Amino acid sequence: MQVQWDWLWLGVLLVGSVTAEIHDEEIQDADVEVEDFDKNSQETDIDKGSSSLEVIYKTPEPTGEVYFTETFDDGVLTGWLLSKTQKEDTDENISKYDGRWEVEALKENTVPGDRGLVLKSIARHHAISAMLTRPFIFDSKPLIVQYEVNFQDGIDCGGAYVKLLSGSDDLDLEHFFDKTPYTIMFGPDKCGEDYKLHFIFRHKNPKTGVYEEKHAKRPDVDLKKFYSDKKTHLYTLVLKPDDTFELLIDQSIVGKGNLLEDMVPPVNPPKEIDDPSDKKPDDWDERPKIPDPNAVKPDDWDEDEPSKIEDPDAVKPEGWLDDELQYIPDPNAEKPEDWDEEMDGEWETPQIPNPKCETAPGCGEWVRPMMTNPNYKGKWKPPMIDNPNYQGIWSPQKIPNPDYFEDLHPFEMTAVSAIGLELWSMTPDIYFDNFIICSEMEVADRWAADGWGLKKLVASANEPGMLSQLVTAAEDRPWLWIIYILTLALPVGLGVLFCWPSKKIEEDINYKKTDVSKPVTKGELEQAREEIDDEAELEEEKENEDIAIEERRPIEEKKKETVKEKKKKGRKESPSGEGEGEDKNDDEEENEAAEGSQEEGDKSNKSGSEDEMKEADESTGSGDGPMKSVRKRRVRKD
């Protein structure tokens, strides 16, 4: 019963581990629950009896103050401008921003009436931008940038990030290119196996006026699934006036930090820097260990000994073909008809393996195999000792940083007046949709619910069944097959374990410790044998005495009768005096007969006792294992 409970607990643990694995994957896929859709902002008609989800799409509308929105549902690029310039420092053939853009619906999980901006070309530079409804000024309100991306064909190498272009009087969107000043760059990027989620802002040095890019630290999240599952994902940047930021994917935080502490390089430079004029002295010794100057090479150290030598014990295998070549010219090869010796050189017959060497141990000249030289020591080097003159690793002196400054509020960046996509990609059909720039998280969440939330519902309704999902998960994680097999086999095993009739053996229940057989030594065996022999001998002597007495009785009675008969006859034939003498003789004969019978009984007892003792010795001495009981035999003599 204890074993059955152990199996039951094992089954519960296995089922729990599988449930936890599935639960974790669901959390990673969903990340957080999306807020309930506002019934006033969308209308859905779900047919519970069918396998697909039928929806009526309504273009999202902002519910609060916004700086920019775009849904592309009207099918035209209203307000968007294509760049007409060229990329600098690039080959002229690919320097033009001639990548093609289209407004179209998703390839899969299409929502009727919903459209997006799609990057169509591969190995081309793409650039498109639009002005904000009004500039965003970094003062007391947060900045929220949010949009959707779907890598419909996966992604090999390319980006899907946006740039918030810095406001200036000379900003020309038709000349938007990679060096156009921007304030923030945010979004996914991937090349090779490097998956990134960029958050970069350009910070102005208040002393020099030079802008420097500050990169947020990489999120501690596996981003691969967002780039490879061909689903629409929501990317959100939240930048707050307290100099903190959050990076979200599908409304789940994947990275956060502080502009003063979590950017590379840091916003504020160090107060001290290395003195550029300071140089290391010539006699500065940085060696912690040096060769021992007092060490001497041993006299028996031979540096000329090779590391490998021929094996002197090796013997040439029997059947070695010394006179045969390992490769021979192909007898079936023929010179090509179009072979031109002036152009191609002299034609040589191609070589093939010698067929005679296939069955032999080897062909050609036999050479002894090489072995490690036991006398090899290599080049002698003196042992290392601590350097008495060691001064440590030299470093230049510190001096005050002449360019030092302290910006306590890096949130106060250059104002933003436009949004743009400047991308290079080796994968086509990258889908963008539902851009919004605002300052209130509630507005961004409502916007996401009306757009991305509806796409998520449709994608979930069109997902394959549970079995297909399990197979797909096992393709990425082969070890899941073991859990699947154990999960299926466990109920069967538990059913057999609990339902199969079990047999209880009384000997197992009433098992006693004294039933255990103990090993018997030779001395104990001989002692026990002697005790049994003594007991058997005593019993046999007693039995033989009883038998002898029983056998003597009829003889004595018969003799007595014979004596009586003789007395009667003597009385009749002889006088009285002779009769008295004969009576005495008769008494003497009876005593002699009794003594004779007694002697015969003793002899029979002795013979029977010797035979029985011999049989007892043979039976007890015939086995080498544990002591066996001796069977007593009763010897009777007729």
Side-chain angles (χ1 to χ4, degrees), residues 373-579:
N373 186 357
N375 299 322
Y376 172 74
K377 296 183 179 180
K379 187 174 181 61
W380 181 83
K381 294 180 181 179
M384 303 297 288
I385 62 173
D386 293 334
N387 184 1
N389 299 322
Y390 176 66
Q391 296 175 274
I393 303 300
W394 181 87
S395 59
Q397 295 181 354
K398 298 291 184 179
I399 61 172
N401 186 357
D403 298 325
Y404 173 74
F405 64 87
E406 188 175 20
D407 185 354
L408 299 178
H409 299 290
F411 172 78
E412 298 174 357
M413 306 176 190
T414 306
V416 175
S417 60
I419 184 173
L421 298 169
E422 190 266 321
L423 306 170
W424 165 275
S425 178
M426 295 302 295
T427 306
D429 294 328
I430 301 177
Y431 178 93
F432 301 85
D433 199 6
N434 294 330
F435 290 87
I436 185 172
I437 299 176
C438 62
S439 295
E440 300 177 17
M441 201 64 203
E442 294 79 6
V443 176
D445 290 342
R446 187 64 54 83
W447 178 269
D450 294 346
W452 170 76
L454 199 58
K455 291 186 180 73
K456 185 180 179 182
L457 273 179
V458 174
S460 299
N462 294 335
E463 282 184 354
M466 185 65 180
L467 181 60
S468 300
Q469 293 183 21
L470 293 175
V471 173
T472 303
E475 291 177 356
D476 296 333
R477 306 175 185 88
W479 53 268
L480 285 176
W481 285 113
I482 300 176
I483 296 180
Y484 296 164
I485 295 173
L486 291 176
T487 305
L488 294 176
L490 187 62
V492 177
L494 292 176
V496 173
L497 186 63
F498 282 98
C499 299
W500 197 268
S502 59
K503 296 181 180 179
K504 295 184 179 179
I505 303 175
E506 186 176 356
E507 287 78 4
D508 294 340
I509 297 174
N510 297 328
Y511 185 82
K512 295 183 180 179
K513 189 173 182 180
T514 56
D515 294 338
V516 180
S517 61
K518 297 181 180 179
V520 181
T521 62
K522 186 175 181 180
E524 294 176 350
L525 182 62
E526 292 177 354
Q527 183 178 359
R529 185 184 301 166
E530 291 175 359
E531 293 176 355
I532 292 175
D533 292 345
D534 295 339
E535 293 177 359
E537 185 176 354
L538 293 175
E539 291 180 0
E540 288 171 0
E541 289 177 356
K542 186 176 181 181
E543 290 177 358
N544 290 334
E545 289 178 357
D546 296 338
I547 294 171
I549 293 172
E550 291 177 358
E551 290 178 347
R552 278 201 308 270
R553 284 177 183 174
I555 296 174
E556 291 177 353
E557 292 177 356
K558 188 174 182 180
K559 285 184 177 182
K560 287 180 179 181
E561 292 176 357
T562 305
V563 171
K564 289 178 179 180
E565 290 177 357
K566 287 181 178 181
K567 285 181 179 181
K568 290 179 179 180
K569 290 181 179 180
R571 288 173 182 174
K572 290 179 180 181
E573 295 177 356
S574 60
S576 58
E578 294 177 0

Side-chain angles (χ1 to χ4, degrees), residues 154-166:
I155 182 70
D156 293 328
C157 184
Y161 44 81
V162 299
K163 290 182 177 181
L164 302 185
L165 305 182
S166 302

Side-chain angles (χ1 to χ4, degrees), residues 55-112:
V55 298
I56 298 176
Y57 174 74
K58 183 179 180 180
T59 300
E61 295 181 1
T63 57
E65 183 182 12
V66 296
Y67 300 90
F68 179 80
T69 59
E70 181 60 78
T71 62
F72 304 104
D73 288 342
D74 54 5
V76 294
L77 294 173
T78 305
W80 291 83
L81 295 177
L82 296 173
S83 178
K84 298 178 181 179
T85 188
Q86 294 183 358
K87 189 178 180 72
E88 296 180 358
D89 304 328
T90 307
D91 189 353
E92 185 177 356
N93 296 330
I94 59 173
S95 63
K96 295 181 180 180
Y97 286 93
D98 55 357
R100 187 165 58 91
W101 300 88
E102 295 289 346
V103 176
E104 58 188 29
L106 283 168
K107 290 182 178 180
E108 299 178 0
N109 302 320
T110 304
V111 178

